[in-house]
Amino acid sequence: MRSLVLIGHGSHLNGESAVAAYRYAELIRTRGLFDEVIEGYWKEEPSLRQVLRTTASTDVTVIPMFISEGYFTETVIPRELGLGHQGPVPPEGIARVIGGRTVRYTLPYGVHPGMADVIVARAREVLPELGPDGPADGIETALIVLGHGTTRNENSSRVIYENAARLRERELFSEVHALFLDEEPRVTGWADLVRAPRVVIVPFFASEGWHTLETIPEELGLSGVVTPFADTPHGPQQVHYARPVGTHAAVAEVILHLAEEARGAGGPGGDTERGHEAAWQAFLTLARRGARVGELLVTPELGVFEIRNALDEGRPGGDLMTLVTPEGVRDRVRFTDGGEHRPVHTLRSLPRGWRAVLNEADLRRAVHYTYPAVVEETYAHGCHALRPTPWATTARRQTGIYAKVQRAVPEQVERVAERVCAACLRTRLWAGERLTHSFLDGVPGGMPCAEACTFLVAEVRAEVARKKAASAS
Ligand code: SF4
């Protein structure tokens, strides 16, 4: 049995941030090579601290869904997963045994040599004439691999140069250039550099966004997919502007290669993780009788299960939107009724107006999406196997912009927590609160919080910053 975990950044504010990881997880799931594909996030749930506990097998491969190596892939993710490693990840990845699971952590997908194929695939979308040996119409064509570039992270430019070098060797294009938005050589100077009459620009970016949709077209004067330039130092030229590599479906192949390479001669995989399976069996026993889990009402119906917001209890099914897949539930519960993003799923803001009818396997996945890690953590708490992490430990671990939470005094933390956590179903074990009964014992809102979530950490940071600004003025 094998589990694959894709780690995305996520966002406390923007619901779109997590979508790329979801989409790749879906693509890889359809390939059936892993028994499960789970997504985990820095700023959403399941969080990096929780995600390993949500995996069903003892053989787990973790892939950071980042375009280059850097602070997140070398510091934040290894630290939060408990890998006991900081700094550059070796090409073969890192393997550790954590809580009975063998965990293999790989380099981010963006540095895999297979990304050169994704660049070519993107180029082909805007230049269908590009055949296996070069442009079929014989017109000289240059390729620009466009990176963000930043003096703070030399890895992000290194991956651009490496891909440009790989593609030069393939001789598909008459010229291949590595250019950048924020460092030299800048893409704004392309016309001085590129001689070919036709130019393909492929942004080596993780996702579509402000840069790919606005700043790049604006700075280069692009008017669409194809833009003619009548007067450049090398005569008339035509620029073909591709979509970013990170959103291409072929990235799924790169992820699978990475996962296979991380396993090496890894054998048949692991076993079912017993604690995880026991947690879900306890949940299913409850579900078969009908249950409330937080704001969710679970009702067994003729061999399947219906879930809905408990506030919609008694409403005719025809009045509600009927969902039939875990992914449909996921996409619904990620936003409140007002359309606001829900980075913490145990906040009491589960949307209403829907129901889902699911078989037992899909019920597990739908409940995982609705309350990530809650079944596993609640069961572990009941077995006295969930160790709370006090605030001071969480604060000490923070780095980068979050390091300033170490300056928060206990009263500040408590004040913020009272505001944020008051809206949350979970009981703050990390602050010394006690949870004597859980939803597994029939108390719907009984769910443990073993450690302050990143949402609360961010709010404490904002409070510290506000206090500092107030005392300076
Ligand atoms: Fe909920 Fe507060 Fe725990 Fe975050 S820290 S999960 S808001 S109880």
Side-chain angles (χ1 to χ4, degrees):
M1 188 171 190
R2 302 169 63 198
S3 303
L4 178 67
V5 177
L6 305 184
I7 299 291
H9 188 283
S11 165
H12 294 148
L13 302 172
N14 176 7
E16 290 306 304
S17 175
V19 169
Y22 281 139
R23 295 289 170 254
Y24 287 124
E26 277 168 28
L27 275 174
I28 294 170
R29 238 172 248 132
T30 61
R31 302 286 297 273
L33 298 172
F34 287 84
D35 295 279
E36 63 174 4
V37 185
I38 304 261
E39 310 89 39
Y41 298 95
W42 169 226
K43 289 194 166 183
E44 295 186 36
E45 293 179 321
S47 71
L48 300 177
R49 299 293 285 175
Q50 302 165 321
V51 72
L52 291 179
R53 201 186 273 276
T54 69
T55 56
S57 87
T58 58
D59 181 310
V60 183
T61 302
V62 181
I63 299 186
M65 297 297 292
F66 288 74
I67 204 88
S68 66
E69 296 155 285
Y71 174 60
F72 282 104
T73 63
E74 296 178 350
T75 302
V76 176
I77 302 173
R79 181 191 74 207
E80 298 294 303
L81 290 178
L83 290 176
H85 174 95
Q86 290 283 276
V89 174
E92 68 278 13
I94 299 163
R96 295 280 186 276
V97 176
I98 302 174
R101 293 171 170 90
T102 299
V103 179
R104 298 180 184 84
Y105 179 67
T106 74
L107 287 165
Y109 76 85
V111 305
H112 193 274
M115 288 304 288
D117 294 327
V118 183
I119 295 172
V120 173
R122 276 293 187 225
R124 209 161 262 139
E125 284 173 352
V126 292
L127 187 68
E129 298 86 348
L130 184 62
D133 302 315
D137 55 12
I139 297 174
E140 280 196 6
T141 304
L143 172 71
I144 294 175
V145 184
L146 172 57
H148 192 292
T150 160
T151 46
R152 280 177 294 138
N153 180 5
E154 63 187 40
N155 290 329
S156 92
S157 40
R158 194 182 69 212
V159 73
I160 306 298
Y161 284 116
E162 285 174 354
N163 276 302
R166 278 181 200 118
L167 290 164
R168 237 172 251 131
E169 278 174 21
R170 291 194 195 181
E171 297 182 350
L172 284 174
F173 301 91
S174 56
E175 305 164 46
V176 179
H177 300 273
L179 300 180
F180 301 92
L181 261 193
D182 283 354
E183 69 178 53
E184 298 293 343
R186 289 180 195 267
V187 70
T188 43
W190 72 268
D192 294 326
L193 211 61
V194 181
R195 268 192 280 271
R198 193 163 58 189
V199 186
V200 180
I201 299 179
V202 179
F204 201 83
F205 282 58
S207 58
E208 199 81 87
W210 184 56
H211 282 309
T212 59
L213 294 173
E214 293 184 41
T215 62
I216 298 169
E218 208 174 285
E219 287 185 25
L220 302 188
L222 304 180
S223 53
V225 173
V226 181
T227 307
F229 289 85
D231 189 20
T232 68
H234 299 289
Q237 287 176 301
Q238 199 176 57
V239 171
H240 296 236
Y241 181 52
R243 296 183 56 211
V245 290
T247 54
H248 196 287
V251 168
E253 297 300 322
V254 174
I255 295 168
L256 287 172
H257 280 303
L258 255 178
E260 283 309 311
E261 288 160 14
R263 282 187 83 232
D271 300 316
T272 299
E273 209 286 324
R274 276 184 294 176
H276 180 274
E277 188 54 24
W280 282 98
Q281 288 307 326
F283 167 77
L284 288 173
T285 302
L286 188 75
R288 286 178 200 126
R289 296 196 300 260
R292 278 268 318 265
V293 181
E295 294 179 280
L296 205 61
L297 181 68
V298 183
T299 310
E301 267 180 13
L302 302 172
V304 292
F305 295 87
E306 192 218 53
I307 57 173
R308 59 170 71 187
N309 189 316
L311 294 175
D312 287 329
E313 185 172 14
R315 284 182 68 185
D319 288 358
L320 306 172
M321 176 200 290
T322 298
L323 307 168
V324 292
T325 63
E327 285 73 22
V329 174
R330 174 198 69 200
D331 294 342
R332 186 74 191 88
V333 302
R334 293 182 64 234
F335 299 93
T336 67
D337 278 325
E340 283 166 20
H341 175 44
R342 301 177 69 233
V344 181
H345 285 229
T346 44
L347 291 178
R348 289 189 192 84
S349 54
L350 189 71
R352 298 180 58 180
W354 60 276
R355 65 194 275 267
V357 181
L358 305 157
N359 64 27
E360 203 165 271
D362 283 349
L363 173 72
R364 279 173 67 147
R365 293 186 53 229
V367 171
H368 165 81
Y369 281 134
T370 308
Y371 289 129
V374 163
V375 169
E376 295 89 345
E377 291 189 343
T378 304
Y379 184 79
H381 175 66
C383 300
H384 309 287
L386 185 70
R387 211 172 40 186
T389 304
W391 168 262
T393 308
T394 303
R396 246 194 330 268
R397 228 181 42 236
Q398 304 304 313
T399 52
I401 62 168
Y402 292 105
K404 63 168 61 134
V405 301
Q406 292 158 16
R407 298 207 294 267
V409 296
E411 295 73 28
Q412 268 178 308
V413 177
E414 190 50 33
R415 204 165 43 242
V416 177
E418 270 176 18
R419 173 170 52 81
V420 173
C421 304
C424 187
L425 290 160
R426 291 187 187 250
T427 298
R428 291 184 297 141
L429 307 184
W430 58 266
E433 292 178 357
R434 295 192 58 206
L435 178 68
T436 49
H437 296 286
S438 75
F439 70 87
L440 290 172
D441 313 313
V443 177
M447 299 173 177
C449 175
E451 178 166 1
C453 64
T454 62
F455 186 62
L456 180 68
V457 172
E459 290 292 308
V460 172
R461 172 183 172 266
E463 170 72 12
V464 171
R466 251 194 312 272
K467 201 83 183 161
K468 191 172 170 214
S471 58
S473 61

Short mmCIF file of all heavy atoms in Angstrom, two decimals, residues 368-405:
data_model
loop_
_atom_site.label_atom_id
_atom_site.label_comp_id
_atom_site.label_asym_id
_atom_site.label_seq_id
_atom_site.Cartn_x
_atom_site.Cartn_y
_atom_site.Cartn_z
N HIS A 368 -13.08 13.58 5.19
CA HIS A 368 -11.69 14.08 5.23
C HIS A 368 -11.65 15.51 4.66
O HIS A 368 -11.00 16.39 5.21
CB HIS A 368 -10.78 13.15 4.43
CG HIS A 368 -9.45 13.75 4.11
ND1 HIS A 368 -8.41 13.78 5.01
CD2 HIS A 368 -8.99 14.36 2.99
CE1 HIS A 368 -7.36 14.38 4.46
NE2 HIS A 368 -7.68 14.73 3.23
N TYR A 369 -12.34 15.73 3.56
CA TYR A 369 -12.33 17.07 2.95
C TYR A 369 -13.09 18.08 3.83
O TYR A 369 -12.75 19.25 3.88
CB TYR A 369 -12.97 17.05 1.57
CG TYR A 369 -12.07 16.52 0.48
CD1 TYR A 369 -12.55 15.58 -0.43
CD2 TYR A 369 -10.76 16.96 0.34
CE1 TYR A 369 -11.73 15.09 -1.45
CE2 TYR A 369 -9.94 16.48 -0.67
CZ TYR A 369 -10.43 15.55 -1.57
OH TYR A 369 -9.63 15.08 -2.56
N THR A 370 -14.14 17.60 4.48
CA THR A 370 -14.95 18.53 5.28
C THR A 370 -14.22 18.91 6.57
O THR A 370 -14.17 20.09 6.94
CB THR A 370 -16.31 17.89 5.64
OG1 THR A 370 -16.91 17.41 4.44
CG2 THR A 370 -17.25 18.90 6.29
N TYR A 371 -13.66 17.91 7.23
CA TYR A 371 -12.93 18.15 8.49
C TYR A 371 -11.57 17.45 8.42
O TYR A 371 -11.38 16.38 9.02
CB TYR A 371 -13.74 17.62 9.67
CG TYR A 371 -14.96 18.44 9.98
CD1 TYR A 371 -16.22 17.85 10.12
CD2 TYR A 371 -14.87 19.83 10.15
CE1 TYR A 371 -17.34 18.61 10.40
CE2 TYR A 371 -15.99 20.59 10.44
CZ TYR A 371 -17.21 19.97 10.56
OH TYR A 371 -18.33 20.73 10.84
N PRO A 372 -10.61 18.02 7.68
CA PRO A 372 -9.33 17.33 7.50
C PRO A 372 -8.66 17.00 8.83
O PRO A 372 -8.55 17.86 9.71
CB PRO A 372 -8.48 18.35 6.71
CG PRO A 372 -9.47 19.26 6.06
CD PRO A 372 -10.65 19.33 7.00
N ALA A 373 -8.22 15.79 8.97
CA ALA A 373 -7.43 15.29 10.12
C ALA A 373 -8.26 15.17 11.40
O ALA A 373 -7.75 14.69 12.42
CB ALA A 373 -6.21 16.17 10.39
N VAL A 374 -9.52 15.54 11.37
CA VAL A 374 -10.30 15.55 12.62
C VAL A 374 -10.58 14.12 13.12
O VAL A 374 -10.47 13.84 14.31
CB VAL A 374 -11.62 16.35 12.42
CG1 VAL A 374 -12.61 16.02 13.51
CG2 VAL A 374 -11.31 17.84 12.41
N VAL A 375 -10.92 13.22 12.20
CA VAL A 375 -11.21 11.84 12.63
C VAL A 375 -9.96 11.22 13.26
O VAL A 375 -10.01 10.64 14.35
CB VAL A 375 -11.72 10.99 11.44
CG1 VAL A 375 -11.76 9.51 11.79
CG2 VAL A 375 -13.10 11.48 11.01
N GLU A 376 -8.82 11.38 12.57
CA GLU A 376 -7.57 10.78 13.07
C GLU A 376 -7.17 11.39 14.41
O GLU A 376 -6.77 10.68 15.35
CB GLU A 376 -6.45 10.98 12.06
CG GLU A 376 -6.65 10.26 10.71
CD GLU A 376 -7.41 11.10 9.69
OE1 GLU A 376 -8.03 12.12 10.09
OE2 GLU A 376 -7.38 10.73 8.50
N GLU A 377 -7.25 12.72 14.51
CA GLU A 377 -6.79 13.37 15.74
C GLU A 377 -7.74 13.09 16.91
O GLU A 377 -7.31 12.92 18.05
CB GLU A 377 -6.63 14.88 15.52
CG GLU A 377 -5.47 15.20 14.59
CD GLU A 377 -5.14 16.68 14.51
OE1 GLU A 377 -5.98 17.52 14.89
OE2 GLU A 377 -4.03 17.00 14.04
N THR A 378 -9.04 13.05 16.61
CA THR A 378 -10.00 12.81 17.69
C THR A 378 -9.84 11.38 18.22
O THR A 378 -9.87 11.15 19.43
CB THR A 378 -11.44 13.04 17.17
OG1 THR A 378 -11.52 14.36 16.63
CG2 THR A 378 -12.46 12.88 18.29
N TYR A 379 -9.66 10.45 17.30
CA TYR A 379 -9.46 9.06 17.73
C TYR A 379 -8.18 8.95 18.55
O TYR A 379 -8.16 8.32 19.61
CB TYR A 379 -9.41 8.14 16.51
CG TYR A 379 -9.29 6.69 16.88
CD1 TYR A 379 -10.40 5.95 17.28
CD2 TYR A 379 -8.04 6.06 16.84
CE1 TYR A 379 -10.29 4.62 17.63
CE2 TYR A 379 -7.93 4.72 17.19
CZ TYR A 379 -9.05 4.00 17.59
OH TYR A 379 -8.93 2.69 17.94
N ALA A 380 -7.12 9.58 18.06
CA ALA A 380 -5.83 9.53 18.79
C ALA A 380 -5.99 10.15 20.17
O ALA A 380 -5.45 9.64 21.16
CB ALA A 380 -4.75 10.28 17.99
N HIS A 381 -6.75 11.23 20.26
CA HIS A 381 -6.97 11.86 21.57
C HIS A 381 -7.67 10.88 22.51
O HIS A 381 -7.29 10.75 23.68
CB HIS A 381 -7.81 13.13 21.40
CG HIS A 381 -8.19 13.77 22.70
ND1 HIS A 381 -7.26 14.33 23.55
CD2 HIS A 381 -9.38 13.92 23.31
CE1 HIS A 381 -7.86 14.79 24.62
NE2 HIS A 381 -9.16 14.56 24.50
N GLY A 382 -8.65 10.18 21.98
CA GLY A 382 -9.37 9.20 22.80
C GLY A 382 -8.47 8.07 23.28
O GLY A 382 -8.73 7.45 24.31
N CYS A 383 -7.40 7.82 22.51
CA CYS A 383 -6.44 6.76 22.90
C CYS A 383 -5.26 7.35 23.66
O CYS A 383 -4.24 6.67 23.84
CB CYS A 383 -5.91 6.06 21.65
SG CYS A 383 -7.14 5.27 20.65
N HIS A 384 -5.35 8.60 24.06
CA HIS A 384 -4.26 9.29 24.76
C HIS A 384 -2.98 9.29 23.92
O HIS A 384 -1.87 9.19 24.45
CB HIS A 384 -3.99 8.66 26.13
CG HIS A 384 -5.24 8.52 26.95
ND1 HIS A 384 -5.86 9.61 27.54
CD2 HIS A 384 -6.01 7.45 27.23
CE1 HIS A 384 -6.95 9.20 28.15
NE2 HIS A 384 -7.08 7.91 27.98
N ALA A 385 -3.15 9.39 22.60
CA ALA A 385 -1.98 9.36 21.71
C ALA A 385 -1.81 10.68 20.95
O ALA A 385 -1.06 10.74 19.98
CB ALA A 385 -2.11 8.20 20.72
N LEU A 386 -2.54 11.71 21.37
CA LEU A 386 -2.42 13.01 20.70
C LEU A 386 -1.73 13.96 21.67
O LEU A 386 -2.31 14.36 22.69
CB LEU A 386 -3.81 13.56 20.33
CG LEU A 386 -3.80 14.85 19.52
CD1 LEU A 386 -3.28 14.60 18.11
CD2 LEU A 386 -5.21 15.46 19.45
N ARG A 387 -0.47 14.30 21.35
CA ARG A 387 0.29 15.11 22.29
C ARG A 387 0.12 16.59 21.97
O ARG A 387 0.46 17.02 20.86
CB ARG A 387 1.76 14.73 22.22
CG ARG A 387 2.47 14.92 23.56
CD ARG A 387 3.83 14.37 23.54
NE ARG A 387 4.49 14.67 22.27
CZ ARG A 387 5.66 14.20 21.92
NH1 ARG A 387 6.31 13.42 22.70
NH2 ARG A 387 6.21 14.52 20.77
N PRO A 388 -0.41 17.39 22.90
CA PRO A 388 -0.56 18.82 22.62
C PRO A 388 0.80 19.51 22.54
O PRO A 388 1.74 19.12 23.23
CB PRO A 388 -1.35 19.35 23.82
CG PRO A 388 -1.87 18.16 24.53
CD PRO A 388 -0.95 17.02 24.22
N THR A 389 0.89 20.51 21.68
CA THR A 389 2.11 21.31 21.56
C THR A 389 1.82 22.68 22.14
O THR A 389 0.99 23.43 21.59
CB THR A 389 2.51 21.46 20.07
OG1 THR A 389 2.65 20.16 19.52
CG2 THR A 389 3.79 22.24 19.91
N PRO A 390 2.45 23.06 23.26
CA PRO A 390 2.15 24.36 23.86
C PRO A 390 2.51 25.51 22.92
O PRO A 390 3.37 25.36 22.05
CB PRO A 390 3.04 24.40 25.12
CG PRO A 390 3.60 23.03 25.27
CD PRO A 390 3.50 22.33 23.96
N TRP A 391 1.86 26.65 23.14
CA TRP A 391 2.10 27.81 22.28
C TRP A 391 3.58 28.15 22.20
O TRP A 391 4.11 28.45 21.11
CB TRP A 391 1.31 29.03 22.78
CG TRP A 391 1.78 30.28 22.09
CD1 TRP A 391 2.66 31.20 22.57
CD2 TRP A 391 1.46 30.69 20.76
NE1 TRP A 391 2.90 32.17 21.62
CE2 TRP A 391 2.16 31.88 20.50
CE3 TRP A 391 0.63 30.16 19.76
CZ2 TRP A 391 2.09 32.57 19.28
CZ3 TRP A 391 0.55 30.84 18.54
CH2 TRP A 391 1.27 32.03 18.31
N ALA A 392 4.28 28.13 23.33
CA ALA A 392 5.69 28.54 23.34
C ALA A 392 6.52 27.70 22.36
O ALA A 392 7.40 28.21 21.67
CB ALA A 392 6.26 28.41 24.75
N THR A 393 6.20 26.42 22.26
CA THR A 393 6.94 25.54 21.34
C THR A 393 6.61 25.90 19.89
O THR A 393 7.48 25.97 19.03
CB THR A 393 6.58 24.06 21.61
OG1 THR A 393 6.77 23.81 23.00
CG2 THR A 393 7.42 23.12 20.79
N THR A 394 5.32 26.12 19.63
CA THR A 394 4.91 26.51 18.27
C THR A 394 5.59 27.82 17.88
O THR A 394 6.13 27.96 16.77
CB THR A 394 3.37 26.69 18.20
OG1 THR A 394 2.76 25.48 18.63
CG2 THR A 394 2.91 27.05 16.80
N ALA A 395 5.59 28.79 18.80
CA ALA A 395 6.17 30.11 18.50
C ALA A 395 7.67 29.99 18.25
O ALA A 395 8.20 30.60 17.31
CB ALA A 395 5.89 31.06 19.66
N ARG A 396 8.36 29.20 19.07
CA ARG A 396 9.82 29.05 18.93
C ARG A 396 10.20 28.47 17.58
O ARG A 396 11.26 28.75 17.04
CB ARG A 396 10.34 28.13 20.04
CG ARG A 396 11.24 28.83 21.03
CD ARG A 396 12.02 27.91 21.92
NE ARG A 396 11.42 26.64 22.25
CZ ARG A 396 10.66 26.41 23.33
NH1 ARG A 396 10.41 27.39 24.17
NH2 ARG A 396 10.16 25.22 23.58
N ARG A 397 9.32 27.65 17.03
CA ARG A 397 9.61 26.98 15.75
C ARG A 397 9.49 27.92 14.55
O ARG A 397 9.98 27.62 13.46
CB ARG A 397 8.58 25.86 15.59
CG ARG A 397 9.16 24.55 15.22
CD ARG A 397 8.13 23.47 15.04
NE ARG A 397 6.94 23.87 14.33
CZ ARG A 397 5.70 23.73 14.83
NH1 ARG A 397 5.53 23.24 16.04
NH2 ARG A 397 4.66 24.08 14.12
N GLN A 398 8.79 29.04 14.72
CA GLN A 398 8.48 29.90 13.58
C GLN A 398 9.74 30.61 13.07
O GLN A 398 10.59 31.03 13.85
CB GLN A 398 7.41 30.93 13.94
CG GLN A 398 6.14 30.33 14.47
CD GLN A 398 5.51 29.32 13.53
OE1 GLN A 398 5.38 29.56 12.33
NE2 GLN A 398 5.13 28.17 14.06
N THR A 399 9.80 30.76 11.75
CA THR A 399 10.92 31.46 11.13
C THR A 399 10.35 32.47 10.13
O THR A 399 9.13 32.58 9.97
CB THR A 399 11.84 30.47 10.38
OG1 THR A 399 11.00 29.68 9.51
CG2 THR A 399 12.60 29.58 11.31
N GLY A 400 11.24 33.18 9.45
CA GLY A 400 10.80 34.13 8.42
C GLY A 400 9.91 35.19 9.03
O GLY A 400 10.12 35.65 10.16
N ILE A 401 8.86 35.56 8.32
CA ILE A 401 8.01 36.65 8.78
C ILE A 401 7.23 36.29 10.04
O ILE A 401 6.72 37.16 10.73
CB ILE A 401 7.02 37.13 7.68
CG1 ILE A 401 6.08 35.99 7.28
CG2 ILE A 401 7.75 37.69 6.48
CD1 ILE A 401 4.91 36.47 6.43
N TYR A 402 7.11 34.99 10.33
CA TYR A 402 6.35 34.58 11.51
C TYR A 402 7.19 34.52 12.79
O TYR A 402 6.65 34.29 13.87
CB TYR A 402 5.66 33.24 11.26
CG TYR A 402 4.57 33.39 10.22
CD1 TYR A 402 4.75 32.92 8.93
CD2 TYR A 402 3.40 34.07 10.53
CE1 TYR A 402 3.76 33.11 7.96
CE2 TYR A 402 2.42 34.27 9.58
CZ TYR A 402 2.61 33.79 8.30
OH TYR A 402 1.64 34.00 7.36
N ALA A 403 8.50 34.74 12.66
CA ALA A 403 9.37 34.66 13.84
C ALA A 403 8.95 35.68 14.90
O ALA A 403 9.15 35.46 16.10
CB ALA A 403 10.83 34.88 13.43
N LYS A 404 8.32 36.76 14.46
CA LYS A 404 7.97 37.80 15.45
C LYS A 404 6.86 37.37 16.42
O LYS A 404 6.65 38.03 17.42
CB LYS A 404 7.61 39.12 14.76
CG LYS A 404 6.41 39.12 13.87
CD LYS A 404 6.02 40.54 13.49
CE LYS A 404 7.13 41.25 12.75
NZ LYS A 404 6.68 41.97 11.57
N VAL A 405 6.19 36.24 16.17
CA VAL A 405 5.20 35.79 17.15
C VAL A 405 5.87 35.38 18.46
O VAL A 405 5.22 35.27 19.50
CB VAL A 405 4.30 34.63 16.64
CG1 VAL A 405 3.54 35.03 15.41
CG2 VAL A 405 5.10 33.36 16.41
#
